[in-house]
């Protein structure tokens, strides 16, 4: 035998853009990236099944994600939008969507989870070394933009820190504030004085936001021993917002009459915040330990000048401080689990408002406090296909409200009005649940039961209001997964709602001039019934993802909202008048990868309707509001020289008072982005926006044009020249409806600008 070299033919192996294994769907980031993309958030929007909001919040196949991991580590927690808008997409190898995710490992074979998580896997070049990006820009008129981040993901120490600052309309400070659920808001000190609005519901926020914003976010994680991970976080933000808004409100009165209020607001809002968090966690098959110590300090101040129907000068000051500690400890032995959980929260919110008019002045000072404490034990026992769990414990909450309002004229009395209330709730509860899981289906039945003792003390009147109340909330949910493509979820339940202190006071409070709120010392009796269904489909090989959700809710109240128009004030309050309202929501989406156009499309739809009942000037009112929305997004790369992104959204917002005509407004928004790539290093991008609105009998078109030139000098250095609002549009108008009024607003648009940026990587 004689050895002879043989030259083999070249073989090119391409990874599939989307692949899957079990409950995990993996997306190759490079398959969805385009030349102008900088961050992971830019690329995620094109991945089929994903929906990403402007502030970085993620939904996958119709569901909000529950957990966000980077290389399997939860380093960002609920503030993951900072990472989404900071990570370079060049550093990300793939994005994994994990369905039926059970974040607590010891429950993986005991309790079925219907949660969805996202895990970001980094490329080897971004691991075990310092990596990052700096994006610095300046331009005319007096524009500046800075985005710098650095990260290191080693085996035992992980770091991701970022600074974001600009005056180009990007509200980065909102990324440091995780959204609170309605339950968490109830545990917080109440905010009564309404802050100045800086948002609009139609345009991208940055188009109408005049800002100077700074955010420093420091995030790290250290592995302590074999099981524990210590995760410190610190966010500091500082922002100033300036805005001018023209507003027309038409309140629908009896016999087809309307009350017209026109105002023009010009003002400045300043805010500062600091949020430290320290999290210690161990997550193994036999033990789960989590302790979170967090705090937040926030300060807001605004100065507002109002002309029109109610001319005045407004000065507002609002502070907020909260401290929270949460502990969860679980042990597993065989198929049994026992655990303890506790949470303690304290918050304080002083609020001030001064209103100056030509002939009078109004001053209000409000102090609200809240303390919440909860402790419970849990036991879980698995037998066969079933797992029986029960949690029993107590909850205690205390809220304080102190207010002093002086300067009211023509309302009851010109003397100062005050509140001094102490609200205390004690609750003992037991929450049994039974989970069943067998191959293609799973079901959970929960029957929480609690006893609530409530004491409301009116310290000024020396009067006490006491109540004992039983609460129970049976609910059932089931998931059927017949194969790898389909899943069907059903859920339903009924619950008796607990008393809330928000309406329990006597003297009026002012949220914003000329709006007064009056309370009631009547206890709330409310019940809610809900039912819903969700169907999800995915075909990874064809790149097809779809979902549809249907939800209906019935709510019964005995306290009805009232609205009265006096000579000076608009007064809202409550009256004993039982009623039932219904709301319906239907939403769905479908994403499909199309190889013929080297891209894909996403189609989304929404329909919602809501009934409301209220009392206006002593007369009962019944209103129905509805929203219809349909949107289409298409992206394509028909050649290596051209990238196309197109989005079209149509909306109809309608309102109807009983026995009166139907009012509606229609909106169409089209956005077209074209990127021309004449060379590997140079590309041009044009972004056009077209808005169409119906404003009563008037139809209004609005056009915006932006353009970018990008030049990549090397793998480390890039340059960008960006022109915003080339047509120099100055105003944007929209019309919307609530159950009580129509609202027309005119926003000022950021003027034409040019910014030159330098982008470099570590």
């Amino acid at each position: 035998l004689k050895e002879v070299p043989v030259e083999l033919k070249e073989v090119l192996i391409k990874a599939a853009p989307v692949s899957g294994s079990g409950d995990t769907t993996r997306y190759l980031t490079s398959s969805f990236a385009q030349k102008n993309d900088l961050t992971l958030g830019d690329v995620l929007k094109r991945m089929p099944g994903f929906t990403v909001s402007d502030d970085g919040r993620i939904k996958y196949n119709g569901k909000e994600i529950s957990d966000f991991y980077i290389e399997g580590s939860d380093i960002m927690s609920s503030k993951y939008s900072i990472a989404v808008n900071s990570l370079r997409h060049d550093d990300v190898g793939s994005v994994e969507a994990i369905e039926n995710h059970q974040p607590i490992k010891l429950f993986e074979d005991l309790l079925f989870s219907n949660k969805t998580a996202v895990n970001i896997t980094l490329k080897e070049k971004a691991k075990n070394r310092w990596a990052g990006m700096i994006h610095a820009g300046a331009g005319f008129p007096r524009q500046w933009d800075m985005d710098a981040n650095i990260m290191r993901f080693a085996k035992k120490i992980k770091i991701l820190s970022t600074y974001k600052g600009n005056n180009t309309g990007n509200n980065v400070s909102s990324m440091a504030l995780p959204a609170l659920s309605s339950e968490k808001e109830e545990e917080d000190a109440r905010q009564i004085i309404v802050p100045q609005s800086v948002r609009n519901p139609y345009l991208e926020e940055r188009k109408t936001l005049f800002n100077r914003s700074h955010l420093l976010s420091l995030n790290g994680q250290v592995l302590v021993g074999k099981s524990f991970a210590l995760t410190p976080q610190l966010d500091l933000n500082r922002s100033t917002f300036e805005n001018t808004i023209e507003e027309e409100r038409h309140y629908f009165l009896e016999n087809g009459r309307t009350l017209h209020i026109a105002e023009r607001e010009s003002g400045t809002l300043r805010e500062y915040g600091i949020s430290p968090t320290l999290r210690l966690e161990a997550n193994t098959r036999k033990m789960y330990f989590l302790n979170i110590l967090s705090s937040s300090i926030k300060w807001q101040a605004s100065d507002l000048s109002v002309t029109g129907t109610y001319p005045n000068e407004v000065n507002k000051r609002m502070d907020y401080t909260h401290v929270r500690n949460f502990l969860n400890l679980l042990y597993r032995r065989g198929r049994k689990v026992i655990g303890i959980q506790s949470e303690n929260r304290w918050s304080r919110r002083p609020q001030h408002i001064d209103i100056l008019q030509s002939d009078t002045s109004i001053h209000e000072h409000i102090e609200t406090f809240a303390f919440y404490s909860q402790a419970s034990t849990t036991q879980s026992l698995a037998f066969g296909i079933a797992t029986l769990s029960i949690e029993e414990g107590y909850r205690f909450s205390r809220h304080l409200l102190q207010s002093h309002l002086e300067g009211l004229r023509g309302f009851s009395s010109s003397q100062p009005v005050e509140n001094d209330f102490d609200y205390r709730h004690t609750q003992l509860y037991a929450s049994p649940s039974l989970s069943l899981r067998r191959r293609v289906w799973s079901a959970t039945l929960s029957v929480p039961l609690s006893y609530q003792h409530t004491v409301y003390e009116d310290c000024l009147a020396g009067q006490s209001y006491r109540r004992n109340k039983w609460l129970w909330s049976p609910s059932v949910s089931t998931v059927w997964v017949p194969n790898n493509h389909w899943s069907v979820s059903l859920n339903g339940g009924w619950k008796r709602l607990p008393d809330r202190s928000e309406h329990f006071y006597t003297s009026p409070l002012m949220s914003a001039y000329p709006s007064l709120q009056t309370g009631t010392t009547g206890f709330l009796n409310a019940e809610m019934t809900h039912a819903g269904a969700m169907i999800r489909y995915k075909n990874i090989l064809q790149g097809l993802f779809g979902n549809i959700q249907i939800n209906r809710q019935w709510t019964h109240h005995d306290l009805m909202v009232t609205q009265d128009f006096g000579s000076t004030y608009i007064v809202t309050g409550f009256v004993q008048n039982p009623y039932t309202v219904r709301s319906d929501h239907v939403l769905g989406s479908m994403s499909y990868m199309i190889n013929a156009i080297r891209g894909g499309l996403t189609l989304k739809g929404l329909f919602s309707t809501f009934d409301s009942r209220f009392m206006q000037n002593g007369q009962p009112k019944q209103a129905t509001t509805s929203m219809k929305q349909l949107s289409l997004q298409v992206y394509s790369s028909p050649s290596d020289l051209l990238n196309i992104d197109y989005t079209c959204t149509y909306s109809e917002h309608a309102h109807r008072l009983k026995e009166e005509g139907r009012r509606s407004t229609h909106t169409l928004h089209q956005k077209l982005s074209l990127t021309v790539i004449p060379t590997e290093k140079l590309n041009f991008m044009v972004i056009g926006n077209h808005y169409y609105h119906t404003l009563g009998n008037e139809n209004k078109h609005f056009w915006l044009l932006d353009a970018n030139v990008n030049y990549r000098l090397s793998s480390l250095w890039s340059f960008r020249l960006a022109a915003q609002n080339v047509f120099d549009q100055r105003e944007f108008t929209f019309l919307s409806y609530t159950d009580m009024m129509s609202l027309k607003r005119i926003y000022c648009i950021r003027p034409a600008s040019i910014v030159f940026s330098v982008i470099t990587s570590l």
Side-chain angles (χ1 to χ4, degrees):
L1 296 177
K2 186 177 181 182
E3 212 176 80
V4 178
V6 178
E7 185 175 348
L8 298 177
K9 294 182 179 180
E10 181 179 340
V11 177
L12 180 62
I13 300 176
K14 292 185 177 181
V18 184
S19 59
S21 176
D23 292 328
T24 301
T25 304
R26 187 172 293 103
Y27 296 79
L28 189 63
T29 308
S30 59
S31 297
F32 300 92
Q34 294 184 357
K35 291 292 183 181
N36 283 303
D37 295 335
L38 288 178
T39 67
L40 175 62
D42 297 328
V43 184
L44 269 177
K45 297 176 181 179
R46 297 189 199 92
M47 294 181 178
F50 280 97
T51 301
V52 185
S53 63
D54 291 337
D55 60 358
R57 310 304 296 181
I58 299 174
K59 283 186 176 182
Y60 181 72
N61 218 0
K63 294 181 63 176
E64 189 89 28
I65 68 168
S66 60
D67 300 275
F68 182 88
Y69 304 104
I70 303 176
E71 287 292 320
S73 297
D74 182 10
I75 189 174
M76 302 301 297
S77 190
S78 60
K79 301 176 184 179
Y80 67 81
S81 60
I82 297 175
V84 171
N85 290 302
S86 297
L87 285 173
R88 288 184 62 221
H89 73 83
D90 285 343
D91 291 331
V92 178
S94 64
V95 176
E96 297 175 343
I98 309 168
E99 299 177 272
N100 304 321
H101 173 62
Q102 175 54 264
I104 301 177
K105 293 181 180 179
L106 60 80
F107 281 136
E108 284 181 346
D109 60 337
L110 298 180
L111 295 178
F112 175 77
S113 171
N114 200 24
K115 297 179 179 179
T116 300
V118 167
N119 180 49
I120 305 302
T121 64
L122 301 174
K123 294 180 179 178
E124 289 301 323
K125 67 173 185 176
K127 298 179 185 178
N128 298 309
R129 60 176 291 271
W130 290 103
M133 177 181 68
I134 298 176
H135 180 180
F140 177 83
R142 296 183 178 180
Q143 304 282 295
W144 62 272
D145 188 4
M146 183 73 175
D147 192 337
N149 61 77
I150 188 169
M151 68 177 184
R152 179 183 175 90
F153 277 77
K155 187 175 182 180
K156 290 192 174 182
I157 299 178
K158 300 173 175 61
I159 296 172
L160 175 58
S161 299
T162 182
Y163 164 78
K164 297 177 181 290
N166 72 92
N167 69 346
T168 59
N170 186 16
N171 185 11
V172 297
S173 61
S174 63
M175 298 179 185
L177 302 174
L180 288 177
S181 66
S182 58
E183 294 181 356
K184 295 300 181 184
E185 288 177 348
E186 292 176 16
E187 299 163 7
D188 242 359
R190 290 176 57 197
Q191 178 171 323
I192 297 170
I193 296 176
V194 179
Q196 181 182 350
S197 174
V198 295
R199 291 180 174 269
N200 74 84
Y202 291 101
L203 286 179
E204 293 178 78
E205 183 184 20
R206 64 186 183 91
K207 296 296 185 182
T208 58
L209 192 66
F210 294 79
N211 72 309
R212 295 186 296 278
S213 300
H214 305 268
L215 169 65
L216 177 63
S217 180
L218 307 176
N219 306 275
Q221 189 173 86
V222 181
L223 296 183
V224 182
K226 295 182 179 180
S227 303
F228 284 87
L230 181 65
T231 307
Q233 295 176 299
L234 178 63
D235 294 324
L236 301 100
N237 67 282
R238 174 182 177 181
S239 295
T240 300
F241 306 102
E242 298 174 356
N243 70 312
T244 299
I245 300 173
E246 293 185 37
E247 183 175 279
E248 292 184 16
R249 302 194 299 272
H250 288 82
Y251 290 91
F252 307 125
L253 305 181
E254 64 277 359
N255 301 322
R257 298 186 302 111
T258 60
L259 173 65
H260 176 245
I261 296 177
E263 294 179 339
R264 179 182 175 88
E265 300 179 355
S266 298
T268 301
L269 170 66
R270 298 176 297 277
E271 64 179 27
Y272 305 86
I274 177 171
S275 302
T277 301
L278 186 63
R279 188 170 83 246
L280 181 62
E281 183 177 18
N283 193 358
T284 71
R285 294 283 296 176
K286 294 185 178 295
M287 183 265 288
Y288 178 75
F289 174 87
L290 175 65
N291 192 85
I292 303 174
L293 177 61
S294 63
S295 179
S296 179
I297 301 173
K298 186 178 180 181
W299 178 80
Q300 280 188 339
S302 66
D303 299 291
L304 191 65
S305 177
V306 182
T307 59
T309 307
Y310 298 101
N312 61 89
E313 300 286 332
V314 184
N315 177 270
K316 301 178 184 178
R317 297 289 184 273
M318 290 166 283
D319 298 336
Y320 172 68
T321 305
H322 108 267
V323 179
R324 172 180 181 256
N325 190 83
F326 175 79
L327 170 67
N328 190 11
L329 178 61
L330 299 167
Y331 283 102
R332 173 172 175 171
R333 186 173 181 179
R335 295 178 64 80
K336 298 179 181 179
V337 176
I338 60 172
I340 60 173
Q341 185 182 101
S342 71
E343 180 178 8
N344 293 281
R345 296 168 57 97
W346 175 87
S347 58
R348 172 178 178 266
R349 199 186 295 264
Q351 306 158 64
H352 309 262
I353 184 171
D354 297 310
I355 301 168
L356 303 178
Q357 297 174 295
S358 58
D359 58 346
T360 187
S361 62
I362 299 174
H363 307 280
E364 183 178 39
H365 171 70
I366 300 173
E367 292 267 359
T368 59
F369 303 83
F371 173 73
Y372 173 83
S373 179
Q374 177 260 338
S376 64
T377 61
T378 59
Q379 303 87 37
S380 295
L381 174 63
F383 48 93
I385 65 171
T387 299
L388 178 64
S389 302
I390 185 170
E391 177 184 356
E392 59 279 321
Y394 83 92
R395 297 186 183 97
F396 172 78
S397 64
R398 185 178 186 182
H399 293 256
L400 302 178
L401 166 66
Q402 297 175 341
S403 71
H404 179 88
L405 175 60
E406 61 181 28
L408 293 181
R409 299 179 61 181
F411 182 86
S412 177
S413 170
S414 297
Q415 298 299 317
V417 292
E418 296 182 326
N419 286 294
D420 189 352
F421 271 81
D422 186 347
Y423 316 95
R424 297 188 298 276
H425 300 270
T426 304
Q427 189 178 61
L428 301 175
Y429 68 93
S431 301
S433 65
L434 179 65
S435 297
L436 304 172
R437 185 176 185 180
R438 185 172 185 178
R439 295 183 181 178
V440 299
W441 67 271
S442 62
T444 300
L445 173 65
S446 300
V447 190
L449 178 66
S450 65
Y451 170 77
Q452 177 178 284
H453 175 64
T454 303
V455 179
Y456 291 169
E457 298 279 356
D458 185 346
C459 301
L460 295 177
Q463 190 170 358
S464 177
Y465 306 84
R466 298 174 181 271
R467 189 184 198 189
N468 298 317
K469 190 175 184 180
W470 286 94
L471 302 173
W472 70 303
S473 309
S475 65
V476 62
S477 63
T478 182
V479 179
W480 178 46
V481 187
N483 51 50
N484 292 331
H485 298 313
W486 293 94
S487 69
V488 180
S489 305
L490 302 174
N491 66 84
W494 176 90
K495 66 179 177 180
R496 192 179 182 194
L497 300 178
D499 295 309
R500 297 179 61 176
S501 61
E502 281 80 354
H503 68 272
F504 212 99
Y505 54 93
T506 54
S507 297
L509 301 170
M510 179 163 284
S511 56
Y513 189 80
S515 300
L516 281 177
Q517 300 176 0
T518 59
T520 175
T521 53
F523 283 95
L524 172 69
N525 293 300
E527 300 171 353
M528 185 182 72
T529 305
H530 69 93
M534 183 175 186
I535 301 175
R536 307 174 78 190
Y537 175 83
K538 68 175 181 180
N539 189 320
I540 297 175
L541 296 179
Q542 295 183 4
L544 178 61
F545 298 80
N547 67 86
I548 184 170
Q549 301 179 56
I550 303 173
N551 297 287
R552 172 167 286 187
Q553 179 175 298
W554 299 265
T555 306
H556 177 79
H557 293 271
D558 65 339
L559 290 178
M560 179 176 287
V561 175
T562 63
Q563 184 183 61
D564 298 292
F565 298 91
S567 59
T568 306
Y569 306 104
I570 302 173
V571 185
T572 59
F574 298 92
V575 65
Q576 287 281 347
N577 191 6
Y579 67 99
T580 301
V581 294
R582 189 187 78 186
S583 61
D584 294 303
H585 301 276
V586 180
L587 60 156
S589 66
M590 187 271 290
S591 300
Y592 183 45
M593 293 177 58
I594 306 174
N595 294 328
I597 64 172
R598 295 172 63 184
L601 63 83
T602 297
L603 182 66
K604 294 186 290 186
L606 164 68
F607 172 76
S608 66
T609 180
F610 175 78
D611 294 331
S612 61
R613 307 287 190 276
F614 57 96
M615 194 77 69
Q616 188 181 77
N617 292 337
Q619 299 295 321
K621 290 277 190 175
Q622 178 178 337
T624 300
T625 57
S626 64
M627 165 69 81
K628 299 175 184 176
Q629 189 175 84
L630 185 66
S631 66
L632 171 68
Q633 178 190 4
V634 181
Y635 70 93
S636 172
S637 299
S639 74
D640 294 335
L641 303 178
L642 180 64
N643 293 328
I644 302 173
D645 272 315
Y646 173 74
T647 302
C648 180
T649 302
Y650 168 79
S651 303
E652 181 197 57
H653 193 183
H655 173 269
R656 185 180 183 277
L657 282 169
K658 188 177 182 181
E659 300 177 353
E660 293 188 18
R662 182 176 182 269
R663 305 172 176 91
S664 64
T665 179
H666 303 265
T667 302
L668 177 68
H669 173 214
Q670 299 182 85
K671 181 179 180 180
L672 177 63
S673 172
L674 299 175
T675 303
V676 181
I677 313 163
T679 69
E680 180 66 25
K681 294 185 176 183
L682 180 66
N683 66 78
F684 303 89
M685 185 178 186
V686 178
I687 305 171
N689 284 274
H690 168 235
Y691 296 86
Y692 168 79
H693 288 277
T694 59
L695 304 173
N697 297 322
E698 178 186 359
N699 298 327
K700 191 174 184 67
H701 294 270
F702 182 81
W703 303 86
L704 283 174
L705 181 67
D706 303 329
N708 296 333
V709 179
N710 299 274
Y711 179 73
R712 186 163 187 158
L713 179 64
S714 66
S715 60
L716 296 180
W717 294 94
S718 299
F719 304 95
R720 172 175 292 181
L721 182 64
Q724 304 290 321
N725 192 8
V726 175
F727 296 147
D728 200 23
Q729 299 276 13
R730 293 305 178 97
E731 289 184 347
F732 178 78
T733 306
F734 75 86
L735 179 69
S736 63
Y737 292 99
T738 69
D739 52 359
M740 297 181 179
M741 68 177 179
S742 68
L743 174 63
K744 180 181 178 181
R745 275 192 168 184
I746 303 176
Y747 282 89
C748 290
I749 303 296
R750 295 183 62 87
S753 63
I754 296 178
V755 176
F756 177 75
S757 303
V758 178
I759 306 163
T760 185
S761 303
L762 298 179

